[in-house]
Amino acid sequence: MKIDDVKTIGVVGAGQMGRGIAQVCAAAGWRVLLVDVTEEALKDAIKKIGQAVTKAVEKGALRPDQAGAVLALIRPMRSLEQLVEAQVVIEAVPEDRVMKQEVFAKLGRICDPATILSSNTSSISIASLGVASGRADRVVGIHFMNPVPVMRLVEVVRGVETSERTLTLALELVRRLGKTPVVCKDFPGFIVNRVLIPMINEAIFALEDGVALAESIDLAMVEGANHPVGPLALADRIGLDTVLAICEVLYQDLGDPKFCPCPLLRKYVEAGWLGRKSGRGFYIYDEQPALNAS
Ligand code: NAD
């Protein structure tokens, strides 16, 4: 399959990543089938995409007619079955290996044999998703950064069985989105999270040890290390459940105690303090929490 053959992209999971991926794919002119298991998540996604494109019009980044076109290209739905129409599928369900394998097994049965299946996973093995799908040569990692419409980097992850043609198509797709692809091998955490997550985890250890307040830790890294946002505020933005899940995968799959998740992170997740999306993490947020629970 060539990039010009791609007319419809399926996005599975309409959470903070899925809705951003749907938005940028529609902005590039593709028809998007956006699937989620909950009606609330779909409604919330369409609302937030609407707000994002309105903001883009206000900033002059998008013409009003383009904003309408983006929304018109996105079709929300509850069932995977209609993904039979998609030439490319991008999965963005929670960072849970078993859940993702189940989705890939279903996609393998539903989608056209030529369809390329990809995952936005931050840390889970692309090879294992390939095996679950029954078409490992047509499975690739397409790992967007958060927030998707803003961040330029996309890691394109080559599983051991990913074919050259699949990799090439993924790279062309990323470039058509106006983003910068970086190819990497299928190792836990790929590049960005292997470096970023241990830093966030260490910031949480520093908070737990009482080294400083959350605000001071973040300010220190912004002013002292020139980071655009502090590690604890960033963790809240990523979602503490996602940070914990990535940390667990790094710890288990690389077998190095340096990746062991901080107990405070685990406690916050157990308490339902998931960061911005639940209204509370290392900071408290006024904004209405997004509805992500299945
Ligand atoms: P999220 O919790 O915001 O959204 C996940 C969505 O998937 C929810 O709306 C949920 O209802 C839906 N879902 C659950 N099971 C489903 C199923 N079987 N079929 C369809 N939808 C289903 O999570 P997120 O932050 O968007 O993360 C999604 C993926 O993206 C994860 O693999 C994560 O590691 C990765 N990722 C996250 C970030 C980040 O900063 N949050 C960055 C890069 C990659």
Side-chain angles (χ1 to χ4, degrees):
M1 193 197 308
K2 300 238 166 52
I3 192 70
D4 290 331
D5 299 326
V6 178
K7 309 289 179 211
T8 301
I9 296 182
V11 177
V12 185
Q16 58 175 334
M17 295 305 289
R19 67 172 178 258
I21 296 168
Q23 182 187 324
V24 296
C25 289
W30 280 302
R31 197 169 152 251
V32 176
L33 307 178
L34 179 60
V35 185
D36 202 288
V37 283
T38 77
E39 198 58 46
E40 293 93 328
L42 288 169
K43 276 195 191 139
D44 190 55
I46 295 299
K47 189 176 124 202
K48 291 217 164 87
I49 295 170
Q51 288 167 346
V53 293
T54 305
K55 218 181 245 175
V57 171
E58 282 164 11
K59 282 187 180 163
L62 217 58
R63 289 195 319 266
D65 59 310
Q66 288 175 313
V70 168
L71 285 171
L73 281 168
I74 303 173
R75 242 169 70 206
M77 55 189 62
R78 295 277 299 280
S79 157
L80 289 175
E81 304 295 324
Q82 268 169 285
L83 297 186
V84 67
E85 295 169 29
Q87 290 77 43
V88 173
V89 175
I90 305 173
E91 166 276 314
V93 306
E95 192 73 350
D96 176 313
R97 194 188 303 260
V98 174
M99 189 188 286
K100 286 193 191 282
Q101 283 172 337
E102 279 170 14
V103 168
F104 271 77
K106 281 189 195 153
L107 291 173
R109 287 195 295 273
I110 292 167
C111 296
D112 185 278
T115 296
I116 303 297
L117 305 180
S118 69
S119 176
N120 185 51
T121 178
S122 307
S123 58
I124 294 167
S125 140
I126 297 303
S128 74
L129 302 179
V131 169
S133 73
R135 59 173 81 183
D137 60 319
R138 280 147 290 158
V139 173
V140 63
I142 303 184
H143 182 224
F144 292 84
M145 306 292 126
N146 186 15
V148 179
V150 175
M151 301 299 282
R152 290 188 306 276
L153 179 78
V154 177
E155 291 175 320
V156 176
V157 187
R158 182 176 202 161
V160 277
E161 291 190 76
T162 305
S163 72
E164 203 59 47
R165 287 170 75 176
T166 301
L167 187 76
T168 303
L169 187 109
L171 289 171
E172 283 173 359
L173 186 142
V174 169
R175 288 195 192 102
R176 285 228 178 159
L177 293 175
K179 304 215 175 272
T180 309
V182 170
V183 177
C184 58
K185 284 191 188 161
D186 189 13
F187 267 78
F190 316 126
I191 304 167
V192 172
N193 282 319
R194 184 159 175 171
V195 177
L196 179 68
I197 296 295
M199 186 202 63
I200 290 176
N201 197 37
E202 198 54 41
I204 305 171
F205 272 116
L207 182 69
E208 190 182 58
D209 286 348
V211 173
L213 298 173
E215 290 84 350
S216 304
I217 293 170
D218 278 345
L219 183 64
M221 293 307 287
V222 170
E223 296 290 321
N226 229 4
H227 288 197
V229 59
L232 300 173
L234 180 59
D236 275 359
R237 198 180 286 175
I238 294 170
L240 302 191
D241 52 341
T242 302
V243 173
L244 177 61
I246 300 169
C247 216
E248 300 269 29
V249 172
L250 288 170
Y251 182 43
Q252 280 160 21
D253 292 5
L254 293 168
D256 190 325
K258 75 179 176 194
F259 297 114
C260 184
C262 177
L264 186 66
L265 171 62
R266 205 180 288 285
K267 235 181 264 173
Y268 275 28
V269 173
E270 282 166 3
W273 295 2
L274 306 182
R276 279 182 182 272
K277 64 182 168 185
S278 72
R280 180 167 193 169
F282 295 108
Y283 299 92
I284 294 172
Y285 301 90
D286 293 335
E287 198 183 301
Q288 207 42 21
L291 296 164
N292 285 319
S294 48

